[in-house]
Amino acid sequence: MGLSAAAPLWGPPGLLLAIALHPALSVPPRRDYCVLGAGPAGLQMAYFLQRAGRDYAVFERAPRPGSFFTRYPRHRKLISINKRYTGKANAEFNLRHDWNSLLSHDPRLLFRHYSRAYFPDARDMVRYLGDFADTLGLRVQYNTTIAHVTLDKDRQAWNGHYFILTDQKGQVHQCSVLFVATGLSVPNQVDFPGSEYAEGYESVSVDPEDFVGQNVLILGRGNSAFETAENILGVTNFIHMLSRSRVRLSWATHYVGDLRAINNGLLDTYQLKSLDGLLESDLTDLAILKDSKGKFHVTPKFFLEEANTNQSADSITLPQDDNDNFAMRVPYDRVIRCLGWNFDFSIFNKSLRLNSGNAFGKKYPLIRASYESKGSRGLFILGTASHSVDYRKSAGGFIHGFRYTVRAVHRLLEHRHHSVTWPATELPITQLTSSIVRRVNEASGLYQMFGVLADVILLKENSTAFEYLEEFPIQMLAQLETLTGRKAKHGLFVINMEYGRNFSGPDKDVFFDDRSVGHTEDAWQSNFLHPVIYYYRYLPTGEQEVRFRPAHWPLPRPTAIHHIVEDFLTDWTAPIGHILPLRRFLENCLDTDLRSFYAESCFLFALTRQKLPPFCQQGYLRMQGLVSTESLWQHRVESRLLRDYAPTGRRLEDSSQQLGDQEPLGSPLAPGPLAQSVDSNKEEL
């Protein structure tokens, strides 16, 4: 009886039950979105997915978020500024100068609550990222190392395939879209004779006592190299720094990844004749030899080739034997490699086609301007590893930049997979000037991701209204309609932040006389970061327009272009210097009058003009407008902005009041007192 009862378990139904219960044979869980890495970029994407109610999971190999910061930077001081005070209460403006916070709706999750230091300790970042994940309840699977990623083609999948992720336990995970936010984690190594003698930045001692009285050679010229030098500068005999290229200073290049002032003490000791020094040479042309005393000697590689040997420094001729003025003739006690980081391609199957094979492709994955892989649709690279899009141009490799590019990727996918159009605010054309002024003075994404993310204004028919789209990837402009679900049939403006083309660079003097431009007629020559507005009658969709744009132009040639003159305070609210030229540019493009008028002016226009200004059409004729007062009337007469016709004027004012002009025109984005130019019959200036 027992056998009879048990027998069906081994038939087809029982076999299905056994398969369902056996974890190795069960169907792997399938999610819409998978995120690799719970660092800043991974957590930022998880936040947006969770707010949108999407199906997702984050896989993190460590037991807590931000594992990179538990070890790096080695000397624990971050170079991302934590500016806690700006004198402004505007949260969006303050993010311009907060380089560590992620975007969220919770004001408690701002980094200024975690450190008072201008350059914070890395441990504060670890604590911050942990609280970010926990407070927001992000779905992170810790202690899960994804060991292999490949594709499984399926016509029913969003992108024609699923991504198959296998973890260290053999557990398989499937997802329709894969976000890779693992950063750059593989130390960059240059292969040359003797390279094995170099200690890596990732493992070298951080205790200065281990370097007392030593001669040290550092290979590299970036922040990790100078950070290492700064730590031991006071205890070594000397430090020499060797790299193939000249040092690039961030204040000269405007690139935050170049050498920061906080780490450049060795430049002082070099230039002030205190034994330390910088040298330029390609490492692949050199060799490092070890002598019998354990000292290291640097020699050109051809010395080894001529000697046809790999022996020690004691047995071959060195450069100083022939040239007693050879710069590196003194032996070194330590050689330290600080050559940066590369992306870890090892877990990705070749079918994903992430690597190009060239030198740059070994550092970064191959991606488009939309941050999607060129080789696999539905695979997106986020965070530091996505920096190939704007390498040495903007801040996309750093938190204060990629928090905005991550949001842009999320918005692109919301439209692609969920038919959610790119967020936009629709406003009457009368608020065009004030909307632009507000954004260029407040927006953080526009400010930090200059030249990469831009605001786009789509005009409605007859230019009566517009849609304002924030922070769209500028290189994808030709595909705007497809990517956003918005239409650009009646013209558009693009608002970008730009530096002067000839202002920055490692070989330029950025402190030259007359570097500041102050006159509006010279705004196009502005050197410092400033807003530039491009006007197109039609969306430039042609490949020829995009590919053959003028050299160094971020966009195709526009119908018209306007530079708002640079401002020392980055405050573009000057009525004469900033707002008036902008408004006139917009009016010329649209062939309309964007000024605001008092009720009696609109009343006079209604009697004397065939076409009223938009403000009167949208305000006064709808029983709204700006209410005049006796003092304002008198002021305008004295200023000769209106003729003095007291009896008639009084009757006109009474008539306008009877027509219902009681309240000022208002809106959530109504212009402020500086942005809204109020006028009557004549130009205000």
Side-chain angles (χ1 to χ4, degrees), residues 89-166:
N90 185 290
E92 178 70 11
F93 174 87
N94 289 339
L95 278 173
R96 286 185 170 187
H97 310 286
D98 174 355
W99 290 12
N100 299 285
S101 294
L102 297 179
L103 304 178
S104 82
H105 62 282
D106 192 338
R108 297 174 299 172
L109 294 173
L110 292 172
F111 193 83
R112 62 185 178 87
H113 300 309
Y114 288 79
S115 175
R116 293 179 177 271
Y118 192 69
F119 294 107
D121 190 285
R123 287 166 292 197
D124 294 326
M125 177 59 73
V126 175
R127 185 164 54 94
Y128 170 73
L129 294 176
D131 284 357
F132 189 89
D134 293 343
T135 302
L136 297 171
L138 304 181
R139 298 194 284 274
V140 184
Q141 295 186 21
Y142 297 107
N143 299 309
T144 303
T145 301
I146 299 301
H148 188 251
V149 181
T150 188
L151 290 176
D152 181 22
K153 293 187 178 181
D154 190 322
R155 292 182 179 179
Q156 296 182 348
W158 285 350
N159 298 296
H161 52 249
Y162 291 104
F163 295 95
I164 309 301
L165 287 56
T166 307

Side-chain angles (χ1 to χ4, degrees), residues 604 633 636-637 640-646 649 680-682:
L604 287 173
W633 179 276
R636 285 178 292 157
V637 169
R640 297 183 179 178
L641 295 175
L642 275 181
R643 289 173 296 175
D644 186 6
Y645 50 95
S680 57
N681 290 329
K682 293 186 178 181

Side-chain angles (χ1 to χ4, degrees), residues 261-283:
I262 186 176
N263 286 328
N264 68 10
L266 187 137
L267 295 182
D268 272 5
T269 58
Y270 171 42
Q271 292 295 329
L272 298 178
K273 308 180 297 299
S274 188
L275 298 180
D276 304 311
L278 274 67
L279 297 150
E280 285 84 36
S281 179
D282 194 323
L283 296 181

Side-chain angles (χ1 to χ4, degrees), residues 245-264:
S245 59
R246 293 178 54 186
V247 64
R248 294 185 177 93
L249 303 170
S250 61
W251 51 260
T253 63
H254 300 302
Y255 174 58
V256 67
D258 285 335
L259 179 60
R260 305 289 298 287
I262 186 176
N263 286 328
N264 68 10

Side-chain angles (χ1 to χ4, degrees), residues 38 58-65 140-146 167-169:
V58 181
F59 300 101
E60 169 57 45
R61 63 182 178 181
R64 295 292 294 158
V140 184
Q141 295 186 21
Y142 297 107
N143 299 309
T144 303
T145 301
I146 299 301
D167 65 26
Q168 80 277 23
K169 298 178 181 178

Side-chain angles (χ1 to χ4, degrees), residues 518-631:
H519 299 291
T520 56
E521 60 268 24
D522 300 323
W524 64 279
Q525 294 180 307
S526 292
N527 288 311
F528 208 68
L529 192 67
H530 64 285
V532 182
I533 294 87
Y534 296 76
Y535 171 62
Y536 297 92
R537 288 196 180 95
Y538 307 99
L539 182 66
T541 56
E543 184 178 345
Q544 300 288 332
E545 295 176 283
V546 177
R547 178 176 295 182
F548 298 107
R549 61 183 182 269
H552 308 298
W553 280 47
L555 287 166
R557 185 178 297 277
T559 305
I561 189 171
H562 176 72
H563 291 253
I564 300 180
V565 69
E566 66 181 44
D567 186 77
F568 180 70
L569 302 175
T570 61
D571 178 7
W572 293 281
T573 57
I576 299 175
H578 301 136
I579 298 172
L580 179 60
L582 170 63
R583 198 204 75 219
R584 286 176 170 168
F585 167 76
L586 299 175
E587 289 176 336
N588 287 333
C589 292
L590 302 177
D591 191 24
T592 192
D593 191 332
L594 294 178
R595 290 175 294 169
S596 300
F597 297 91
Y598 284 106
E600 55 266 40
S601 299
C602 290
F603 182 76
L604 287 173
F605 291 158
L607 298 177
T608 59
R609 294 190 181 183
Q610 292 183 347
K611 180 181 178 181
L612 294 180
F615 185 87
C616 293
Q617 294 178 27
Q618 298 172 5
Y620 177 74
L621 294 185
R622 297 180 182 179
M623 301 183 132
Q624 298 178 32
L626 296 175
V627 181
S628 180
T629 65
E630 189 68 32
S631 60

